[in-house]
Structures are given as C-alpha cells and as structure tokens.
C-alpha cells in the first residue's frame, strides 16, 4: 500500500491508474476504522481495480462545541488494517494541505443540508460536501463508497454529484451492526460500558417502529409516537430527532406510500449517535 499525504501525489497516482485503464474506487473516511469502514473497503475491492482510502478528520464538518479535538485518530492501527485489506492507496493529508490558508470556498446542497443532522449541527453537511467534492477533485475516482448509516450524508452527496455533474458513481453500502444491533460508529469508542448498553435504545426504537409498521401502521406521526415512547424507556438517553422522511429529499412525509427513511439521533451522555432504517410498504 502506498501512503500519500500530498494532493500532488494522490492526483498523479490516480492519473497513472487511469492511463493504465484501471477503475479507481475511493472510500473517504475520518479514520478510527471499524467493521463498517472495512465493509466499504471490501465493496470497493469487489468492484474497482484499484482502491484508495482517505483518512482525514475534516474540521469544517465539526461545530465549534463538537468533538473535533478528541475525535479518535489511531492512525497506525488504521494503516495496518487497510494494508491487511489489500488497499492500494492511503491518502492522509494534513489540514493545511486540504485547506490552504485563506480558503473561503464551500460546496453546499441547499435545503437538504438543513434537514436531520443538518438542523442540529448547522454547517455540518456544508463541511461534508466541501471535503467530499475536494476528495473527488483530487482523487478523480470512478466510484466512491459511503455507508447507509449516514443516510442523510449519502442522500446529500448523491444530490451534489447529480447537480454538479461530477463523473463519479456513488455506491451506498448497508449498515454494519454489532451482534446486539448497535450500529457501528467511530463514536461508540466514547461510550462507557453502561452507556454502551444504553445506546441500544436507538436500535430498539427503530425496531419497535418497524414492528408497528409491519402491523399495518402507515402514519408517520403514529410511528413516531411509538418510537418516542420506546426511547423514553432509557432514562440516560436524550432524543435529538426522530423523523420519517423521503430518502432522496429528506423531507418529512405524511403517509408511507413509498419507501421511507426513519432517522434517529440521540445523546448518550455527551456522545451523539445516529441510526436509521428503511420502511418499505
Ligand atoms: O462519513 C464520514 O466519515 C465523513 O463525513 C466523510 C464522508 C469521510 C467526510 O469527511
């Protein structure tokens, strides 16, 4: 595996791959890799000739009071895992390499970026779309792989690629869960053992809502009531949002007549976790 820290190195490796007729798959990450990330790497390996993974803890997607400083950065462990997965290129730029002093240009998907996590984390999706479009410009991948766990992020990136005619195919990959149902997340590492147990409430809430849906309930407001009722059973958890939305536009729906996305975010202590599931009539 080759490791690059400069844009110039990454771009020339990508152009060389293209010159040789190889299709590149990019897996953008912020590191602290877990089985969810590795599933993206494996999907990329199955579909592309050459796989690049980026590790970059992107400051522009963190709010001023969020966990940028303490976000885990186990670079060497990540590097070894990627090497073992047979990744071809690791791109790990510094903040100064990605954001040159004085940079004031952002990419924003208007409207969608203010929904779900965008509402409680103002500016978050603007940071994501800015860094992802920069990664696409630098690495020029044929395909890029993102997890469905960040369903809003995936929908917003798809919209950005569509609106800006970016020549990259976006591949969404399923949520990977722990055996007890907790969705894998780098932020799970912040949880103490009792908090880790409490965090299961997100999955349980989604499961309860799915059961009600399977019994025939199609009204989002009723499903959300079921979900909120379940969530309250965990006193140490605080709900941020629980919504039923259109999976492409992220707008709330008033009836589930087509596949709908149930998205939840909640705090366990100071750790903010998200999860989601699709409901398909
Ligand atoms: O999902 C993530 O880890 C990040 O939001 C991403 C896509 C790597 C952009 O920084």
């Amino acid at each position: 595996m080759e490791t690059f820290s400069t844009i110039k190195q990454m771009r020339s490796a990508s152009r060389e791959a293209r010159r040789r007729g190889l299709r590149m798959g990019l897996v953008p990450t912020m590191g602290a890799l877990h089985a969810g990330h590795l599933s993206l790497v494996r999907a990329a390996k199955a579909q592309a000739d050459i796989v690049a993974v980026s590790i970059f803890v992107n400051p522009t997607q963190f709010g001023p009071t969020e966990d940028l400083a303490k976000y885990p950065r186990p670079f060497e462990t990540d590097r070894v895992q990627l090497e073992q997965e047979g990744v071809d290129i690791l791109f790990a730029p510094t903040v100064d390499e990605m954001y040159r002093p004085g940079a004031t240009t952002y990419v924003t998907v208007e409207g969608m970026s203010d929904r779900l996590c965008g509402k409680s984390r103002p500016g978050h999706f603007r940071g994501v779309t800015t860094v992802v479009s920069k990664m696409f410009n630098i690495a020029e991948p044929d395909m890029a792989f993102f997890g469905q766990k960040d369903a809003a992020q995936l929908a917003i990136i798809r919209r950005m690629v569509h609106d800006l005619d970016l020549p990259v195919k976006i591949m969404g990959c399923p949520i990977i869960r722990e055996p007890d149902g907790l969705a894998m997340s780098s932020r799970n590492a912040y949880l103490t053992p009792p908090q880790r147990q409490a965090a299961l409430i997100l999955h349980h809430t989604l499961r309860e809502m799915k059961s009600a849906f399977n019994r025939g309930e199609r009204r989002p407001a009723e499903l959300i009531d079921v979900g909120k009722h379940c969530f309250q059973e965990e006193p140490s958890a605080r709900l941020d949002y629980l919504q039923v939305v259109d999976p492409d536009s992220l707008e709330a729906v008033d009836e589930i007549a087509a596949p709908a996305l149930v998205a939840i975010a909640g705090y366990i202590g100071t750790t903010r976790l998200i999860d989601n599931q699709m409901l398909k009539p």
Side-chain angles (χ1 to χ4, degrees), residues 45-99:
K45 281 199 66 85
Q47 295 179 66
D49 303 312
I50 175 164
V51 173
V53 175
S54 61
I55 295 185
F56 180 64
V57 182
N58 173 34
T60 65
Q61 69 188 77
F62 288 79
T65 59
E66 292 182 358
D67 56 342
L68 173 62
K70 74 164 184 176
Y71 197 84
R73 291 165 170 86
F75 184 75
E76 190 48 26
T77 315
D78 288 348
R79 199 192 61 72
V80 169
Q81 289 194 82
L82 295 175
E83 185 113 55
Q84 281 166 356
E85 291 293 327
V87 166
D88 302 285
I89 296 171
L90 167 57
F91 178 48
T94 61
V95 172
D96 286 349
E97 179 72 5
M98 284 299 277
Y99 294 107

Side-chain angles (χ1 to χ4, degrees), residues 28-30 56 58 61 128 131-132 146 150 153:
T29 81
M30 297 207 301
F56 180 64
N58 173 34
Q61 69 188 77
V128 170
V131 81
V132 169
F146 297 90
D150 297 294
Q153 167 173 284

Side-chain angles (χ1 to χ4, degrees), residues 14-279:
S14 155
R15 297 221 164 141
E16 175 59 16
R18 172 138 314 152
R19 201 190 53 75
R20 289 166 55 207
L22 302 176
R23 281 157 42 91
M24 182 189 280
L26 174 69
V27 182
T29 81
M30 297 207 301
L33 303 178
H34 50 67
H37 295 112
L38 300 184
S39 75
L40 302 180
V41 169
R42 288 173 198 155
K45 281 199 66 85
Q47 295 179 66
D49 303 312
I50 175 164
V51 173
V53 175
S54 61
I55 295 185
F56 180 64
V57 182
N58 173 34
T60 65
Q61 69 188 77
F62 288 79
T65 59
E66 292 182 358
D67 56 342
L68 173 62
K70 74 164 184 176
Y71 197 84
R73 291 165 170 86
F75 184 75
E76 190 48 26
T77 315
D78 288 348
R79 199 192 61 72
V80 169
Q81 289 194 82
L82 295 175
E83 185 113 55
Q84 281 166 356
E85 291 293 327
V87 166
D88 302 285
I89 296 171
L90 167 57
F91 178 48
T94 61
V95 172
D96 286 349
E97 179 72 5
M98 284 299 277
Y99 294 107
R100 287 184 212 94
T104 52
T105 304
Y106 292 92
V107 176
T108 308
V109 176
E110 302 220 335
M112 286 175 86
S113 293
D114 300 326
R115 296 178 194 140
L116 300 178
C117 292
K119 192 162 180 202
S120 24
R121 301 182 68 190
H124 168 67
F125 286 127
R126 179 180 85 153
V128 170
T129 42
T130 299
V131 81
V132 169
S133 54
K134 281 173 73 71
M135 287 290 176
F136 289 172
N137 284 332
I138 294 163
E140 300 178 313
D142 297 279
M143 307 165 232
F145 296 77
F146 297 90
Q148 174 68 23
K149 206 287 271 35
D150 297 294
Q153 167 173 284
L154 179 58
I156 289 170
I157 290 170
R158 284 192 198 283
R159 177 67 68 85
M160 172 183 82
V161 163
H162 176 265
D163 288 355
L164 298 181
D165 303 300
L166 302 181
V168 54
K169 192 165 175 202
I170 301 302
M171 316 295 283
C173 301
I175 300 178
I176 304 296
R177 297 182 181 279
E178 302 279 2
D180 60 6
L182 182 68
M184 299 250 180
S185 163
S186 302
R187 289 189 169 96
N188 291 349
Y190 297 149
L191 303 171
T192 62
Q195 288 177 334
R196 164 70 184 72
Q197 193 56 30
L200 286 173
I201 196 64
L202 276 83
H203 178 57
H204 290 165
T205 299
L206 294 176
R207 217 179 42 194
E208 284 298 302
M209 292 171 76
K210 177 97 169 195
S211 302
F213 178 79
N214 289 342
R215 289 193 300 272
E217 183 57 77
R218 293 290 181 271
R219 293 166 299 175
E222 300 302 317
L223 291 169
I224 289 169
D225 276 352
V226 169
K228 284 188 173 165
H229 199 260
C230 174
F231 195 86
Q232 277 165 10
E233 282 167 25
E234 178 48 67
S236 66
R238 181 164 60 84
L239 190 63
D240 178 2
Y241 64 73
L242 177 59
Q243 287 189 41
V244 181
V245 299
D246 176 279
D248 299 321
S249 70
L250 308 180
E251 274 178 303
V253 295
D254 356 292
E255 201 209 326
I256 305 180
L261 176 76
V262 184
I264 185 168
Y267 288 89
I268 310 293
T270 54
T271 304
R272 187 175 176 281
L273 298 175
I274 59 173
D275 201 346
N276 69 81
Q277 79 186 342
M278 290 293 291
L279 296 179

